[in-house]
Amino acid sequence: MLNSRLFRFAVLVSFVLNGTASLGARLESGEVRVWQMQEVTFEAAREYANPYVDVELWIDLEGPDFKRRVYGFWDGGRTFKVRFVATKPGDWSWRSASNRSDDPGLNGGRGTFRAVAWDDAQLLENPNRRGFIRASENGHALRYADGMPFFLVGD
């Protein structure tokens, strides 16, 4: 029990210190914020002649009212990454796979995490924590995922 709490605390501290929470195929468990980008890094077991074309990597991501395949990208050398966000609070899980089933560095990774909502004060600090921007129901305005109006301001 203590080790579990200590591990969760260490993961949370590393998220805060790393900013974007670089999780590596290392995002095995922990707590993250809703709508905050997460990144899982994979290290291929071998070199590929043209990894940009030869390797297709993805995670199957599941959470509250969500089940999708999220594709990753080659990030140089043997490194591949997948970026995603949790769209609702709750328990989430992911599992990695690729078109290179013989590469253990790209396949069989898995993890779970808990997504938690921002509180009202944190939403006031940064309104972009409300989710993706999309067209309103009538198509004449923009709204965040939680329904709050989005006002584009520029200078």
Side-chain angles (χ1 to χ4, degrees):
M1 182 78 159
L2 179 60
N3 285 342
S4 175
R5 286 183 183 166
L6 200 63
F7 176 74
R8 287 182 180 165
F9 176 74
V11 169
L12 183 61
V13 168
S14 71
F15 289 170
V16 171
L17 295 177
N18 291 332
T20 62
S22 180
L23 306 167
R26 307 171 265 279
L27 174 63
E28 293 164 3
S29 66
E31 192 171 87
V32 301
R33 294 290 186 167
V34 174
W35 300 113
Q36 186 174 35
M37 189 209 48
Q38 305 301 318
E39 182 176 273
V40 184
T41 303
F42 299 89
E43 193 74 23
R46 63 184 180 90
E47 297 282 336
Y48 292 94
N50 187 351
Y52 182 75
V53 174
D54 296 341
V55 178
E56 192 171 293
L57 169 74
W58 62 84
I59 63 169
D60 290 322
L61 181 64
E62 291 187 42
D65 301 323
F66 189 95
K67 185 175 182 177
R68 298 230 172 100
R69 181 164 283 177
V70 181
Y71 287 89
F73 60 93
W74 174 57
D75 196 39
R78 293 183 179 187
T79 305
F80 293 83
K81 295 183 178 185
V82 179
R83 293 181 180 154
F84 62 92
V85 298
T87 56
K88 288 187 177 180
D91 293 322
W92 291 75
S93 65
W94 61 269
R95 179 181 300 188
S96 70
S98 77
N99 65 336
R100 298 297 182 157
S101 58
D102 60 333
D103 192 326
L106 304 177
N107 297 281
R110 61 177 50 205
T112 60
F113 60 95
R114 174 171 278 286
V116 295
W118 299 95
D119 64 33
D120 291 337
Q122 292 167 324
L123 290 174
L124 284 174
E125 286 175 13
N126 183 351
N128 291 319
R129 293 174 173 160
R130 296 181 173 279
F132 296 131
I133 299 166
R134 57 187 81 180
S136 63
E137 299 75 32
N138 67 9
H140 296 283
L142 298 173
R143 294 196 180 280
Y144 286 103
D146 70 355
M148 180 68 78
F150 171 78
F151 298 105
L152 182 62
V153 179
D155 59 3

